[in-house]
Amino acid sequence: MDTPYATEVSIATPAIQLAARISKHVLTSANKGTIEKAEDLSPVTVADFAIQAYLTKVLSSSFPTDSFVGEESAAALRANPDLLQRVYDVIHECIDEVSSSSGGEKNESQNEIAEVVKRGAPESKEQVCELVDRCGDGGKDGLSADSGRTWVFDPIDGTKTFVRGEQYAINVALLEGGRQILSVVACPLLSRKATAPVNNASVFKVDEGEYGEEGCIVYAVRGFGAYVRPLFVGQGSDLAMGASEPLERHADSVTVSGLRSVSCWNLLDSGVDDAHKAATERLGVEFPGSDLLGWVPRWVSLALGLANMTVWVYKRRDRYAKIWDHAGAMLLFEEVGGMITDVDGKEIDLTKGRKLSANFGFVAAPRSVHHVVLKAVRETLMEQGKETLLGTA
């Protein structure tokens, strides 16, 4: 893909491949180092900390003037030396594994990729904490139009399903002045050849399929389309840039009768499940369709054409989405013809910082029928007596 951000893509891709290796290394471990976050009791694992530290190290080494925002903080690592040691070790083990298994002569491109991978090695356990906190403290003052370039990470989106060996994603986004510019997402357990509907347990395994690959990377640059490629090249250890395919703009030609849903049904307590179901069925669309816990896998499913609409209404107007669950990943759907607003019909504002406090919920659909889907959501809330959840559209 020839774009002004070719350098960023060429660095973010091998970085997210190594991050995926970290996740799969942890996934095979009986003890994933899972703890609960103090603020919301949601789970966090060795992989969350290790990937956030690794991505920050790689990308800050390559783009030293950029800012960083990520989900995790290092407080738990500082309080638990054994957990910190595991995080430090898994990063180095995965880097060493790639380095040792890709022996022999390398071409110039392979040498450049190997160099990118090595940049993510933390020099000490204290640096691991510093890297995690560089993201964990990022974005607290907002991301205004003059805030420059900011990388946003969700190291493991869908930690609850990740620890069960089910669908999850790694999200890397680049914003400029709070505007999505670049998205690179790894879905280590979702094949690019998957067919709808998919759910959390739809895990593609190499020895069960015909494609000889496992997992995919979906990426996009604003104005240059979206692409998909295997997570790795074949099943060897090579980290490479090739084998990408452009995604067609499938959402450009969709009518209401062609809508297909992706949602999260009865797994999260933040949304109004009966409203999601009623609004979707009001349009004559089967619900839930594809059913995925993580927001990033849902955005990927929309980009891949496994679905083309999703709605989400929070139970309270003061409940806000987190930037790392959506930044960049939304761009994937937009680049195939999708339109995304909140329940009030407002564009999603990423300048507010870590929480999307200017928006309430999400309505995503093909641009040509987005207004129809939005109307269905708002009429459903009125009929269900949930007017307090409606703002001014």
Side-chain angles (χ1 to χ4, degrees):
M1 181 171 57
D2 185 16
T3 79
Y5 295 90
T7 298
E8 285 81 353
V9 172
S10 70
I11 292 171
T13 300
I16 208 168
Q17 287 176 310
L18 198 284
R21 288 188 177 276
I22 292 172
S23 73
K24 296 180 85 171
H25 185 99
V26 174
L27 196 56
T28 60
S29 172
N31 179 5
K32 298 173 178 60
T34 307
I35 60 173
E36 290 184 341
K37 299 180 191 177
E39 61 269 26
D40 60 6
L41 301 182
S42 62
V44 59
T45 70
V46 167
D48 295 82
F49 293 120
I51 291 171
Q52 184 162 307
Y54 175 79
L55 291 173
T56 306
K57 182 70 160 59
V58 170
L59 291 164
S60 64
S61 298
S62 303
F63 308 106
T65 63
D66 290 356
S67 301
F68 296 86
V69 175
E71 181 172 6
E72 312 305 341
S73 91
L77 295 180
R78 291 192 169 94
N80 188 333
D82 291 339
L83 181 62
L84 176 56
Q85 184 69 55
R86 287 192 63 193
V87 170
Y88 178 83
D89 287 346
V90 74
I91 297 172
H92 282 273
E93 287 168 9
C94 289
I95 292 173
D96 292 346
E97 177 185 301
V98 169
S99 299
S100 62
S101 61
S102 55
E105 292 188 10
K106 303 182 181 69
N107 59 34
E108 183 177 351
S109 176
Q110 290 171 323
N111 283 326
E112 290 174 355
I113 290 168
E115 178 58 31
V116 168
V117 169
K118 291 177 182 177
R119 288 179 206 165
E123 297 166 11
S124 65
K125 287 178 283 186
E126 180 54 35
Q127 189 181 50
V128 169
C129 294
E130 292 169 359
L131 291 165
V132 172
D133 276 342
R134 183 170 179 180
C135 284
D137 292 334
K140 292 182 176 179
D141 297 324
L143 302 171
S144 63
D146 59 356
S147 61
R149 292 173 30 130
T150 302
W151 294 89
V152 180
F153 307 139
D154 192 340
I156 297 286
D157 182 56
T159 302
K160 290 180 182 178
T161 42
F162 168 73
V163 298
R164 300 200 301 255
E166 297 179 347
Q167 288 297 338
Y168 66 98
I170 301 166
N171 189 29
V172 174
L174 175 62
L175 311 184
E176 288 188 357
R179 186 168 182 254
Q180 299 175 105
I181 296 298
L182 167 69
S183 171
V184 183
V185 174
C187 292
L189 300 179
L190 179 67
S191 169
R192 61 183 174 143
K193 306 292 188 178
T195 56
V198 295
N199 57 49
N200 295 308
S202 299
V203 176
F204 181 86
K205 297 184 184 301
V206 175
D207 57 1
E208 295 177 0
E210 60 180 302
Y211 307 115
E213 65 190 40
E214 180 179 2
C216 67
I217 293 173
V218 187
Y219 63 99
V221 174
R222 178 173 293 279
F224 289 86
Y227 294 76
V228 64
R229 53 151 292 154
L231 180 58
F232 305 114
V233 176
Q235 288 306 305
S237 59
D238 290 343
L239 304 184
M241 290 298 300
S244 295
E245 299 175 0
L247 293 173
E248 65 173 301
R249 291 182 60 89
H250 60 80
D252 280 342
S253 57
V254 176
T255 62
V256 172
S257 63
L259 289 172
R260 293 187 295 169
S261 169
V262 60
S263 190
C264 177
W265 176 241
N266 281 338
L267 283 176
L268 293 171
D269 61 7
S270 63
V272 186
D273 284 331
D274 62 332
H276 305 156
K277 184 175 188 294
T280 303
E281 292 179 343
R282 187 187 192 98
L283 294 162
V285 179
E286 184 178 349
F287 184 87
S290 291
D291 188 7
L292 295 164
L293 174 74
W295 261 111
V296 178
R298 280 182 256 170
W299 293 122
V300 168
S301 74
L302 290 164
L304 293 177
L306 300 169
N308 53 32
M309 67 159 283
T310 192
V311 301
W312 195 262
V313 182
Y314 289 111
K315 290 180 178 178
R316 304 193 319 268
R317 286 288 303 191
D318 62 353
R319 174 64 163 83
Y320 303 121
K322 308 289 178 43
I323 191 170
W324 44 81
D325 291 330
H326 306 280
M330 294 187 297
L331 180 64
L332 300 174
F333 185 46
E334 292 175 346
E335 286 295 310
V336 298
M339 179 178 178
I340 305 165
T341 70
D342 68 5
V343 173
D344 300 329
K346 297 189 296 185
E347 291 186 11
I348 305 301
D349 182 354
L350 299 175
T351 68
K352 300 303 180 183
R354 298 175 68 82
K355 292 185 178 181
L356 308 187
S357 57
N359 297 106
F360 176 69
F362 294 89
V363 177
R367 183 170 293 276
S368 60
V369 296
H370 181 276
H371 64 289
V372 179
V373 178
L374 178 63
K375 181 181 179 183
V377 173
R378 295 181 65 82
E379 288 179 348
T380 296
L381 291 174
M382 289 289 291
E383 289 179 3
Q384 291 185 342
K386 299 180 173 72
E387 299 91 339
T388 57
L389 296 178
L390 291 171
T392 302

